[in-house]
Amino acid sequence: MQLNHYLNFQGQAEQAFTFYQNAFAGEVTFLSRYGDLPPQDGVILSEEDKQKIMHISLAITDQIVLMASDVNEQFCAQNNLPFIVGTNHYISINLEKHEQSKAYELFEKLSINGTIEMPLDKTFWGALYGAFTDQFGIQWMINCQLEDA
């Protein structure tokens, strides 16, 4: 299991991660934009939004990965989670494909009396993924890779 920090931005993720990459001398190991999303009913992205970061990972060491995305109102509005500087941070738990039962267990235990943002379920990127705010106001993401990335 790996615990990572996950940051949300309002259109500055790419600029911030260029800065962080320079500061940490790290390597961007993954980058996807909202324009890479498969088509979804009711979701229309502007050309500007298509260029924003849906997910970026910066490997700082073998064990430390800083991750982020640009918040997109079409996705966040449905969860009533507006972007607020100071609460734009998640703790991300990343598990290997053989740890699926651990992903379900942690999601169930940590989300007790919390607010589920996205139920733990299979995703288009080949993982089990879910997000929630726990009963103490801490935001969590659980990601269990099911397929080789």
Side-chain angles (χ1 to χ4, degrees):
M1 179 186 331
Q2 187 177 39
L3 288 174
N4 297 308
H5 293 277
Y6 200 102
L7 308 174
N8 286 324
F9 294 93
Q10 275 191 305
Q12 302 91 4
E14 190 163 12
Q15 179 183 357
F17 270 63
T18 298
F19 175 80
Y20 298 146
Q21 183 177 18
N22 184 52
F24 289 110
E27 177 187 351
V28 172
T29 57
F30 188 85
L31 186 144
S32 65
R33 300 182 185 278
Y34 281 102
D36 299 331
L37 276 169
Q40 298 180 32
D41 289 338
V43 175
I44 300 171
L45 296 171
S46 69
E47 289 305 312
E48 181 183 354
D49 283 344
K50 287 179 182 178
Q51 293 307 308
K52 290 180 180 175
I53 302 297
M54 184 175 67
H55 179 79
I56 187 167
S57 295
L58 175 66
I60 296 171
T61 70
D62 289 343
Q63 296 298 314
I64 300 170
V65 179
L66 185 61
M67 297 183 283
S69 64
D70 284 313
V71 173
N72 182 297
E73 295 303 320
Q74 291 188 70
F75 299 104
C76 295
Q78 65 192 3
N79 299 314
N80 297 317
L81 296 174
F83 177 89
I84 301 170
V85 173
T87 61
N88 54 330
H89 177 265
Y90 283 80
I91 297 174
S92 177
I93 299 174
N94 297 282
L95 300 144
E96 300 295 325
K97 59 184 163 187
H98 67 275
E99 298 177 294
Q100 291 176 46
S101 62
K102 186 70 171 175
Y104 284 108
E105 177 186 346
L106 287 170
F107 190 91
E108 183 179 327
K109 287 180 177 180
L110 289 169
S111 66
I112 291 172
N113 297 324
T115 303
I116 294 176
E117 178 181 337
M118 185 172 176
L120 189 64
D121 204 354
K122 291 182 182 177
T123 65
F124 71 88
W125 65 84
L128 282 175
Y129 173 82
F132 58 91
T133 301
D134 72 18
Q135 60 185 307
F136 305 103
I138 304 300
Q139 298 176 91
W140 296 84
M141 297 175 168
I142 308 257
N143 190 78
C144 181
Q145 201 61 41
L146 300 175
E147 301 169 9
D148 294 331

